[in-house]
Amino acid sequence: MKVLVTGFDPFGGESINPAFEVIKKLPNKIENIQIFKLEVPTVFQKAISVTTGKIKEIEPDVIINIGQAGGRYSITPERIAININDASISDNESNQPKNIPIDNNGPAAYFSTLPIRGIVKEINNIGVPASISNTAGTYVCNNLMYGVLNYINKNNLNIRAGFIHIPYLHEQVVNKRNIASFSIETLLEGIKAAIIACEKYKLDIDYISGEIC
Ligand code: PCA
């Protein structure tokens, strides 16, 4: 199995992005799984074209896009990407789209095709907090998740894909108060468990994942 794992570059005034820090440390192989890594710019639309370029090159079976969600308390596979760009801050090339559809002809949303409950279970099994997130926001991470699933759908590709948001690293919160953070080792083990889950669960499993509003 070939897995493409992407991680965003730093944005929003941070000097690092835990997503890119983690992918740098991933091995090139876990058991029979070949891992391909790609740094992606935190730039609307460009994140999608850089990723689809790599998809054409390596033809992966699975794509896991990873991004920072500062303030989250666990590793969170995203359930859904929505067809909107709505930025509260500029991206790394000063774009700040407001309320603009990603694809005028695309569906309102795409569900992740990764085994999100299986991912949560495998990460929990190694003693690391993980839970499903029901929103990837409306910034570049949602843009990439939607763009990749839209590309797969429009080209009828047999690729499973989705997004995982991860919390800050400890060094990012030294001067912030009351914000959750993880060690690089914990994030790395969590992402490895997520990759293994994608190999183990071709279809998703039953695992409590609901949320009461
Ligand atoms: N997180 C941002 C974009 C890049 C990243 O790592 C987001 O959640 O949209």
Side-chain angles (χ1 to χ4, degrees), residues 107-120:
Y110 285 103
F111 284 114
S112 172
T113 50
L114 298 181
I116 52 173
R117 291 181 294 281
I119 289 172
V120 168

Side-chain angles (χ1 to χ4, degrees), residues 8-9 11 17-19 42 66-69 136-142 163 165:
F8 279 103
D9 63 3
F11 71 101
N17 189 323
T42 301
I66 303 174
Q68 164 190 304
T138 55
Y139 194 53
V140 185
C141 290
N142 175 74
F163 200 97
H165 263 122

Side-chain angles (χ1 to χ4, degrees), residues 27-67:
N28 295 322
K29 224 167 179 229
I30 301 176
E31 297 160 12
N32 285 329
I33 308 167
Q34 259 184 290
I35 297 170
F36 298 83
K37 309 170 203 178
L38 177 69
E39 182 181 10
V40 169
T42 301
V43 177
F44 282 98
Q45 305 306 130
K46 196 185 261 190
I48 301 171
S49 56
V50 167
T51 305
T52 53
K54 195 74 176 174
I55 295 171
K56 284 179 202 144
E57 181 193 324
I58 64 171
E59 302 184 332
D61 302 292
V62 170
I63 302 163
I64 305 175
N65 301 123
I66 303 174

Side-chain angles (χ1 to χ4, degrees), residues 44-96:
F44 282 98
Q45 305 306 130
K46 196 185 261 190
I48 301 171
S49 56
V50 167
T51 305
T52 53
K54 195 74 176 174
I55 295 171
K56 284 179 202 144
E57 181 193 324
I58 64 171
E59 302 184 332
D61 302 292
V62 170
I63 302 163
I64 305 175
N65 301 123
I66 303 174
Q68 164 190 304
R72 284 205 185 158
Y73 288 81
S74 62
I75 298 177
T76 47
E78 296 294 346
R79 194 190 297 269
I80 194 161
I82 59 177
N83 188 6
I84 199 84
N85 289 332
D86 196 11
S88 56
I89 57 168
S90 298
D91 69 13
N92 287 350
E93 288 186 1
S94 305
N95 307 296
Q96 192 174 1

Side-chain angles (χ1 to χ4, degrees), residues 174-192:
V174 174
N175 292 312
K176 300 182 177 98
R177 281 173 65 88
N178 298 321
I179 298 256
S181 62
F182 277 38
S183 72
I184 185 73
E185 291 78 18
T186 302
L187 285 181
L188 184 60
E189 289 313 307
I191 294 303
K192 282 194 211 160

